[in-house]
Amino acid sequence: MKKAYLDNAATTAVDPQVLAAIQPYFSQKYGNASEPHRWGQEARVALDQARDQVATFLGAKSGEIIFTAGATESINFAHKGLIEALFQKFSSSNFQFSRKLHIITSSIEHKAVLETCRHLEKRGWVQVTTLPVDKYGLVKAADVAKAIKPNTVLVSVMYVNNEVGTVQPVAAIGKLLKKLNQLRVMSHQPPVYFHTDATQAVQYLDCQVDQLGVDLLSLTGHKIYAPKGIGALYVRQGTPLVRQLDGGGQEFNTRAGTENVPYIVGLGAAIERVSRVDQDTKLTKIIKLRDKLIKGVLQIPGAVLTGHPIKRAPHIASFAFRGAEGEAILLYLSEKGIAAASGSACTSGQLQASHVLTAMGVKPELVHGSLRLSLGKDNTEAEVNYVLQTLPVVIKKLRAMAPK
Ligand SMILES: Cc1ncc(COP(=O)(O)O)c(C=O)c1O
């Protein structure tokens, strides 16, 4: 049977070169990086090198990179760590907020952000403003500016939406927050920190933290051909953060626990490859495939493109179909050897309407018929052709089966 894996936004295969870089650290170079002996120091050198690789990619300092178990942990750490640190800071200073701390986020964030904000809100520590998006899933920088209050301490807006691929105006938000913070410093007000979840952006977009104007950036390995269970959090020097895992002094005393050296080496190798591989060639190839998919799928009657027509990540093509249920489309495609996603892969176990499509105001008759096809470095034109042959047949079949 022909096969086409078009679910690279959910996860990617580990790259053979990344695998080769990792392998010695399981059973040959297996030292604990905290130990002073030769084995430990060998692991320490590898850990430092990987940290440099991530830092170089982000245009950051090595000491600003903290390794985590993935984007979910990075996001939790960024939000909870910052809020806890600010509580400590404000309770021991003359500066007093008359209200709770205030976070601004958007309605199309990954659940890792939305649920973390909800947790902080339920604890009674923060008030959260969740910004609306337009019909393309785009947050407006001007809406961020309007939502800022004297007690705002954090803005968290993702770089690329994982369900529909819309690229958010992160650099524009960064710029406006920088200006605002200059004024706040002059009036002795605390700054507004800026976090972005760059999970879906790392492979294709500029992630230099100074260009983006972010103080905190979350990323994960398994979307960029490194293993699952490894990620990183960028923390701009001077950003207050209380550690959420207590124990030993690893990761500059910010995250306790013996470092996962093999996977950290894998993340370093994978992120280094992102900039080493010719970006123009990579983008040209993937955008060509994505646009062929979009053009072809939109030939199916009752198919609509979801997400922004232009401000769209190179690897994500997303659609909604009238009269066909997303989960059923996935199962039928899977039988034909095609991997895709409906809504977010992380939430596809639940049959609720996608919160992203709902926030975009996608019509009720379309909201359950969503399909995301996400490309990766190994996809070919033949696979795209196969999907374009198979999908119309699947949709027709499902529509014929649907109760009238
Ligand atoms: C945008 C976005 N943020 C966060 C995550 C969570 O990443 P991880 O699986 O590394 O925790 C994902 C994964 O699907 C994602 O797409």
Side-chain angles (χ1 to χ4, degrees), residues 9-10 70-72 75 110 112 158 160 162 197 199-200 220 222-223 346:
T72 300
I75 291 164
H110 190 272
M158 73 197 318
V160 168
N162 49 303
D197 170 5
T199 300
Q200 295 290 344
T220 195
H222 72 104
K223 316 280 184 183
C346 299

Side-chain angles (χ1 to χ4, degrees), residues 202-218:
V202 169
Q203 191 64 231
Y204 302 105
L205 303 182
D206 182 0
C207 288
Q208 295 274 305
V209 288
D210 287 344
Q211 293 295 323
L212 298 177
V214 293
D215 304 297
L216 296 151
L217 180 147
S218 298

Side-chain angles (χ1 to χ4, degrees), residues 41-306:
Q41 289 315 295
E42 195 171 47
R44 168 63 53 194
V45 167
L47 190 62
D48 290 347
Q49 190 196 347
R51 206 184 302 281
D52 287 346
Q53 286 166 322
V54 177
T56 303
F57 176 78
L58 296 174
K61 301 183 190 85
S62 288
E64 294 175 316
I65 306 301
I66 299 167
F67 290 113
T68 64
T72 300
E73 185 192 326
S74 298
I75 291 164
N76 271 264
F77 186 16
H79 291 71
K80 293 174 181 169
L82 179 76
I83 295 303
E84 197 178 331
L86 292 178
F87 256 98
Q88 283 179 6
K89 192 169 165 193
F90 297 144
S91 54
S92 63
S93 77
N94 292 334
F95 190 88
Q96 287 295 330
F97 282 128
S98 53
R99 280 156 292 173
K100 295 170 183 176
L101 301 179
H102 179 229
I103 299 179
I104 300 169
T105 189
S106 84
S107 47
I108 46 93
E109 298 298 308
H110 190 272
K111 287 279 164 80
V113 168
L114 293 175
E115 290 298 313
T116 300
C117 288
R118 217 158 71 98
H119 171 92
L120 290 166
E121 202 169 34
K122 276 206 298 206
R123 297 297 290 260
W125 294 336
V126 302
Q127 179 208 354
V128 180
T129 297
T130 310
L131 297 175
V133 290
D134 69 8
K135 63 178 177 177
Y136 301 124
L138 197 64
V139 177
K140 289 195 190 73
D143 286 348
V144 174
K146 270 191 244 156
I148 290 182
K149 307 180 194 189
N151 58 334
T152 306
V153 291
L154 174 63
V155 171
S156 188
V157 174
M158 73 197 318
Y159 199 170
V160 168
N161 177 265
N162 49 303
E163 289 190 35
V164 296
T166 301
V167 180
Q168 303 301 331
V170 173
I173 298 170
K175 215 180 227 173
L176 80 85
L177 290 178
K178 193 171 175 185
K179 263 194 201 152
L180 174 94
N181 282 337
Q182 282 162 355
L183 298 175
R184 282 171 81 120
V185 168
M186 282 196 289
S187 56
H188 304 288
Q189 274 187 301
V192 179
Y193 295 94
F194 185 22
H195 167 262
T196 194
D197 170 5
T199 300
Q200 295 290 344
V202 169
Q203 191 64 231
Y204 302 105
L205 303 182
D206 182 0
C207 288
Q208 295 274 305
V209 288
D210 287 344
Q211 293 295 323
L212 298 177
V214 293
D215 304 297
L216 296 151
L217 180 147
S218 298
L219 61 87
T220 195
H222 72 104
K223 316 280 184 183
I224 60 165
Y225 310 101
K228 297 158 187 62
I230 183 69
L233 175 64
Y234 158 75
V235 184
R236 187 176 291 278
Q237 200 173 1
T239 305
L241 214 62
V242 168
R243 71 181 192 172
Q244 302 295 304
L245 281 179
D246 292 318
Q250 291 91 349
E251 296 299 290
F252 317 113
N253 213 17
T254 65
R255 182 191 189 261
T258 304
E259 299 91 344
N260 184 351
V261 175
Y263 282 22
I264 289 172
V265 167
L267 178 61
I271 216 158
E272 204 231 5
R273 276 183 65 72
V274 173
S275 29
R276 195 150 38 84
V277 174
D278 176 13
Q279 189 74 344
D280 287 345
T281 313
K282 184 170 79 177
L283 286 177
T284 308
K285 180 195 158 191
I286 204 143
I287 289 172
K288 193 172 155 214
L289 292 182
R290 180 201 66 185
D291 290 350
K292 182 165 191 175
L293 265 177
I294 292 177
K295 199 168 164 212
V297 172
L298 291 182
Q299 304 293 314
I300 301 172
V304 298
L305 183 71
T306 55

